[in-house]
Amino acid sequence: MITIYHNPRCSKSRDALALLRQHDTQPLNVIEYLKSPPTADELSAILAKLKIPARQLLRTTEAEYSKLQLENQALTDRQLVDAMVAHPKLIERPIVINGERAAIGRPLSNISAIL
């Protein structure tokens, strides 16, 4: 099963969902992460599949990023994960998971690489 962490208001996320539906090879699990944010454990597992540190999943242009002073390099991955769980707008989108592989759909070719 392929899972997409999706924001229907985001054009890149909509494009990623359309790409996945075109492939139509597996069941598709669509999670609107602003309505149903991942838990800290789920987000940590996603980061492991993406093979990136938490900081690389942050949307630095969101107001919460500055408000929470997340630019502070002394913050641990766990602290950043906790911030993203509490404020899911901070999570970069879309995220697509296919088994043990995952990709951030910017650019869309990242998703094609894991299908």
Side-chain angles (χ1 to χ4, degrees):
M1 176 182 305
I2 294 176
T3 298
I4 180 171
Y5 285 84
H6 175 62
N7 178 351
R9 296 188 65 199
C10 170
S11 64
K12 295 292 184 194
S13 194
R14 290 191 307 269
D15 291 346
L17 185 57
L19 175 71
L20 293 172
R21 287 185 171 145
Q22 286 174 359
H23 277 78
D24 196 33
T25 56
Q26 295 184 30
L28 184 58
N29 181 25
V30 179
I31 299 172
E32 289 189 34
Y33 70 93
L34 294 177
K35 292 180 181 178
S36 300
T39 66
D41 288 343
E42 289 169 334
L43 193 53
S44 294
I46 291 167
L47 287 165
K49 289 178 183 186
L50 288 168
K51 299 178 183 170
I52 62 172
R55 186 164 297 284
Q56 288 184 353
L57 194 58
L58 282 169
R59 293 179 54 82
T60 60
T61 58
E62 295 295 334
E64 288 88 348
Y65 181 83
S66 295
K67 182 179 176 183
L68 298 170
Q69 300 177 343
L70 298 178
E71 69 280 354
N72 179 349
Q73 296 297 313
L75 294 173
T76 65
D77 272 9
R78 185 56 189 215
Q79 289 170 310
L80 296 174
V81 165
D82 288 345
M84 286 186 271
V85 169
H87 305 276
K89 282 177 40 177
L90 289 166
I91 301 171
E92 187 59 81
R93 61 187 178 259
I95 301 168
V96 176
I97 300 170
N98 185 7
E100 292 303 311
R101 299 181 304 164
I104 300 171
R106 292 172 183 262
L108 282 178
S109 59
N110 290 348
I111 295 170
S112 297
I114 67 164
L115 295 179

